[in-house]
């Protein structure tokens, strides 16, 4: 990925010069590879920059001023958005680059990833518990039906005489086939 910084090398504005120096100096300090593209001496660069800055990011007069920053063809922002990203320690995110290991931004991203992994693990565990509970409920329902049939068969065959008063299998009376038939 190539970071493109559109600059005006022969700008008469000291404010623009300072902003350009700030962006370039910070990129060099971070050892970010970038390509400076002069819009003062190269009409093609100037037209490309003006056409590719999104309309909502252009000033009211419609002509964006340098420095403008792109990652390949993707617009990153102007000096103000770069400065905000710098203040928030999010320059690599602003540039669309992965942060280097050990940087503040890299550690923040690692922490966010760890939190997301923990949340995912919690959700997986909860899903597993819910599935186990559902299976146990199904087994319990099926087991109660079988037990009721077995109890009823034993009661009706005369092998066990509970007469529905006290089930020897300790089934709830509502599940006892003999009890429900006596009512």
């Amino acid at each position: 990925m190539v970071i493109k910084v559109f600059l005006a090398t022969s700008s008469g504005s000291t404010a623009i010069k300072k902003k350009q120096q700030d962006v370039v100096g910070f990129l060099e300090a971070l050892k970010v590879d970038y390509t400076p593209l002069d819009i003062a001496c190269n009409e093609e660069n100037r037209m490309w920059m003006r056409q590719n800055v999104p309309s909502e990011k252009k000033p009211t007069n419609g002509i964006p001023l340098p420095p403008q920053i792109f990652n390949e063809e993707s617009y990153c922002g102007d000096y103000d958005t770069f400065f905000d990203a710098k203040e928030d320690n999010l320059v690599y995110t602003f540039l669309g680059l992965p942060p280097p290991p050990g940087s503040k931004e890299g550690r923040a991203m690692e922490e966010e990833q760890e939190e997301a992994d923990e949340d995912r693990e919690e959700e997986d565990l909860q899903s597993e518990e819910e599935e186990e509970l559902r299976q146990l409920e199904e087994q319990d329902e099926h087991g109660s039906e079988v037990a009721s049939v077995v109890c009823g068969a034993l009661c009706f065959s005369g092998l066990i005489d509970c007469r529905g008063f006290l089930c020897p299998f300790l089934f709830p009376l509502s599940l006892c086939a003999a009890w429900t038939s006596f009512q």
Side-chain angles (χ1 to χ4, degrees), residues 168-182:
F169 295 110
L170 301 176
F171 290 134
L173 293 180
S174 62
L175 296 177
C176 179
W179 174 256
T180 53
S181 67
F182 286 126

Side-chain angles (χ1 to χ4, degrees), residues 39-176:
I39 64 168
C41 298
N42 187 322
E43 184 65 28
E44 191 176 302
N45 286 344
R46 181 186 355 227
M47 294 309 296
W48 191 93
M49 180 193 79
R50 288 181 179 176
Q51 290 171 352
N52 289 286
V53 171
S55 57
E56 66 271 4
K57 300 292 183 175
K58 290 181 181 178
T60 53
N61 70 0
I63 300 172
L65 298 174
Q68 296 292 328
I69 306 161
F70 289 81
N71 182 336
E72 296 287 341
E73 309 297 315
S74 176
Y75 181 70
C76 297
D78 60 3
Y79 174 78
D80 292 331
T81 52
F82 175 82
F83 182 80
D84 291 342
K86 184 174 134 180
E87 290 294 311
D88 295 336
N89 292 316
L90 297 173
V91 173
Y92 290 99
T93 302
F94 167 80
L95 296 172
L97 299 174
S103 67
K104 286 183 181 179
E105 194 171 345
R107 286 192 302 268
M109 288 182 71
E110 288 170 6
E111 288 173 7
E112 287 176 15
Q113 184 62 41
E114 287 173 6
E115 287 176 12
D117 290 346
E118 288 173 4
D119 290 346
R120 199 172 307 109
E121 287 175 12
E122 255 181 57
E123 288 172 4
D124 290 346
L125 183 60
Q126 187 176 7
S127 294
E128 288 175 16
E129 290 173 350
E130 288 172 356
E131 178 63 21
E132 287 178 21
L133 182 60
R134 187 187 62 74
Q135 288 175 353
L136 287 173
E137 287 173 348
E138 283 179 8
Q139 288 174 354
D140 186 44
E141 287 175 10
H142 182 68
S144 297
E145 291 170 6
V146 169
S148 176
V149 170
V150 169
C151 176
L154 292 174
C155 288
F156 289 126
S157 67
L159 294 174
I160 296 179
D161 186 18
C162 67
R163 300 189 202 286
F165 295 111
L166 180 61
C167 180
F169 295 110
L170 301 176
F171 290 134
L173 293 180
S174 62
L175 296 177
C176 179

